[in-house]
Amino acid sequence: MDKWTLSAETIIPPVERTVVDDLTKRQEPSHNGADLGLVNSHIRRTLIPKRKGKDCWLEEDVVVSKLDSSTYIQFIPRVTNSSDIPFYYPQVATYGFGYIRTDDNCTACTLVILVRELAIGSAVATKKQRSVWQDLVKKLYKWTVTERFGYQKHSEHDVIIGYEQYTAKYHQLKAKYAQRWVEGWTEQTDPKKFVYEDIAIASWLLCLWEQNTDAQDNNQPTFVDLGCGNGFLVYLLTSEGYTGYGIDQCARKIWTQYDCQVDLRAQTLEPFNFVTDADWVIGNHADELAPWVPIIAAKSTSPSAKFVVIPCCPHDLSGKKMPLKANAGQSKYHIYVKYICDLSEQCGFLTEREYLRIPSTKNVAILGRARTLGDHRDNIAKLCESATDTPLMQ
């Protein structure tokens, strides 16, 4: 219930955050001398949309009623006209749902959904409205089952970069770049996936770099993007005022569409011989190059070089695919993430992780910003020697 009342943004994607303006709880009086055990909570909240310039805020009353093992929650939009209800909210006067106990042993309950329509048939007449209630049933059922089996979420977002800071930057870049490049994409790949995903990654990186840059220091960090692919991430970072370049084995058609100051290089990269002076080494779904990112950062001629790698397909340092086996409660992907984290620690980095808000299941960013004490050159040399002499192709 808390997800629906205190964090509407987890349920309604266009909502950025939920502001609880008031919360009161009241034990209802007894009836004819009998304590009914009825507790009512009244919450007044405001839903703040992500697109603040286009979508309106919505004030809403939420009433939660609990009686023994039964719970019912009702949502009432505070509007004077139906036209004031934003698109992201059900077009209804009120709606509610609840779990009503159906036996004396509290072992069974019935899910009830009640809707008061704005007009007869309006809440179910359209395909959009029908999908709203179908999604509601699916989510409630899913959460009920996972709660019963004791499910606990394994990933935590917004650990390194705060949610509000990230979303503000994301919407800024999205408004600035998304429409132009989705419409003008010349690659065969899906522009909506790659454009929005790289905007999300660029937003997170920019927040990270702003966080790590001293306000008195005007020297912005430089970067290299290994296995840069379509180069859109390099384009975004360069357009936002940062200096760096991307490397990939083959040029892409879209490269010719970028401004001339976007530095993209088509070359075969031998990671065990590659040295850079960049402050940040980036590996965004860089396939065979992914495990080399912390090693290359450790070998950088920049004394304070850092790295971020978002791994995808599992490859070892020789470039071969790793035959990983999933363990109970741990996927192949997370085993591979741990493998790269281990490489990072052997190179002397204090390793951090962040689950990014990107449209991909491969969304873990592994980060190395600080070093441990000691000389790790022998470890780095051994890692390089353990790879084959075959150049890795990206």
Side-chain angles (χ1 to χ4, degrees):
M1 293 293 184
D2 287 345
K3 285 187 178 181
W4 291 84
T5 56
L6 305 179
S7 303
E9 62 273 11
T10 64
I11 315 299
I12 310 173
V15 172
E16 180 180 281
R17 69 182 188 275
T18 305
V19 177
V20 176
D21 304 307
D22 185 45
L23 190 157
T24 57
K25 184 178 290 186
R26 185 177 65 179
Q27 176 80 41
E28 295 299 328
S30 60
H31 180 69
N32 293 332
D35 185 2
L36 299 178
L38 177 62
V39 178
N40 279 330
S41 298
H42 183 273
I43 300 167
R44 178 162 292 177
R45 69 181 189 177
T46 302
L47 306 184
I48 301 177
K50 293 177 179 177
R51 303 188 307 174
K52 297 179 181 61
K54 294 185 177 181
D55 303 326
C56 60
W57 297 20
L58 178 68
E59 294 183 350
E60 185 184 28
D61 287 330
V62 182
V63 179
V64 182
S65 302
K66 294 185 178 182
L67 178 61
D68 295 332
S69 299
S70 300
T71 302
Y72 183 76
I73 182 168
Q74 185 179 20
F75 301 87
I76 310 162
R78 294 173 56 84
V79 295
T80 54
N81 299 299
S82 59
S83 59
D84 295 332
I85 300 177
F87 85 95
Y88 56 79
Y89 194 86
Q91 302 296 302
V92 296
T94 68
Y95 76 96
F97 62 86
Y99 298 97
I100 311 302
R101 190 183 69 185
T102 55
D103 70 347
D104 294 334
N105 297 322
C106 302
T107 58
C109 65
T110 300
L111 172 61
V112 177
I113 299 177
L114 299 176
V115 179
R116 198 177 109 202
E117 301 173 306
L118 292 167
I120 296 176
S122 63
V124 294
T126 67
K127 181 179 179 181
K128 179 179 179 180
Q129 290 296 327
R130 287 195 297 272
S131 68
V132 167
W133 309 118
Q134 289 170 356
D135 287 345
L136 175 60
V137 172
K138 291 176 182 177
K139 287 178 179 178
L140 289 171
Y141 174 77
K142 176 183 176 182
W143 290 340
T144 302
V145 172
T146 54
E147 180 72 19
R148 174 170 292 185
F149 285 97
Y151 170 79
Q152 292 184 341
K153 188 175 181 181
H154 297 294
S155 61
E156 291 294 334
H157 296 278
D158 316 315
V159 175
I160 297 173
I161 303 299
Y163 174 77
E164 292 190 8
Q165 180 188 6
Y166 163 76
T167 52
K169 180 66 71 175
Y170 174 76
H171 290 297
Q172 175 192 344
L173 297 191
K174 179 182 173 184
K176 191 173 180 181
Y177 299 107
Q179 183 176 354
R180 171 192 171 188
W181 288 103
V182 167
E183 294 176 353
W185 197 250
T186 58
E187 297 294 309
Q188 296 297 316
T189 52
D190 180 6
K192 290 185 177 179
K193 178 189 185 303
F194 286 94
V195 169
Y196 289 115
E197 182 172 310
D198 281 355
I199 287 176
I201 294 170
S203 301
W204 185 81
L205 281 171
L206 292 172
C207 291
L208 181 69
W209 292 347
E210 290 168 5
Q211 184 185 87
N212 283 270
T213 301
D214 191 328
Q216 305 300 322
D217 185 4
N218 294 323
N219 295 323
Q220 292 182 324
T222 58
F223 69 91
V224 56
D225 184 2
L226 304 179
C228 63
N230 57 50
F232 191 60
L233 180 60
V234 177
Y235 162 78
L236 292 169
L237 298 176
T238 303
S239 299
E240 290 301 305
Y242 289 84
T243 301
Y245 61 99
I247 299 177
D248 203 281
Q249 182 187 3
C250 301
R252 307 294 200 272
K253 290 189 294 184
I254 195 74
W255 287 13
T256 60
Q257 305 298 313
Y258 300 138
D259 300 331
C260 59
Q261 70 266 26
V262 179
D263 188 354
L264 297 170
R265 307 174 186 181
Q267 66 181 71
T268 298
L269 189 152
E270 295 181 342
F272 37 82
N273 292 326
F274 181 74
V275 178
T276 179
D277 60 355
D279 299 317
W280 279 86
V281 180
I282 301 171
N284 172 24
H285 294 171
D287 293 338
E288 295 95 335
L289 291 175
W292 283 95
V293 170
I295 298 173
I296 291 172
K299 293 167 57 182
S300 172
T301 57
S302 174
S304 58
K306 305 170 180 64
F307 78 87
V308 59
V309 56
I310 307 169
C312 185
C313 302
H315 293 85
D316 61 20
L317 291 173
S318 70
K320 297 178 181 178
K321 282 214 169 185
M322 300 176 67
L324 301 175
K325 293 184 179 180
N327 299 327
Q330 193 173 33
S331 67
K332 293 180 181 180
Y333 178 66
H334 286 91
I335 294 173
Y336 185 53
V337 167
K338 185 179 183 304
Y339 166 74
I340 295 183
C341 288
D342 290 342
L343 291 175
S344 168
E345 289 165 5
Q346 290 180 61
C347 293
F349 286 100
L350 292 171
T351 309
E352 302 171 87
R353 299 186 196 183
E354 178 82 291
Y355 287 83
L356 302 181
R357 295 181 178 275
I358 60 176
S360 172
T361 56
K362 310 295 175 61
N363 64 338
V364 177
I366 303 169
L367 190 64
R369 292 187 288 178
R371 308 287 183 102
T372 58
L373 297 175
D375 190 343
H376 301 277
R377 286 178 292 183
D378 287 345
N379 289 345
I380 296 169
K382 289 177 182 177
L383 289 173
C384 293
E385 290 171 4
S386 69
T388 66
D389 293 332
T390 304
L392 294 182
M393 302 295 185
Q394 178 55 35

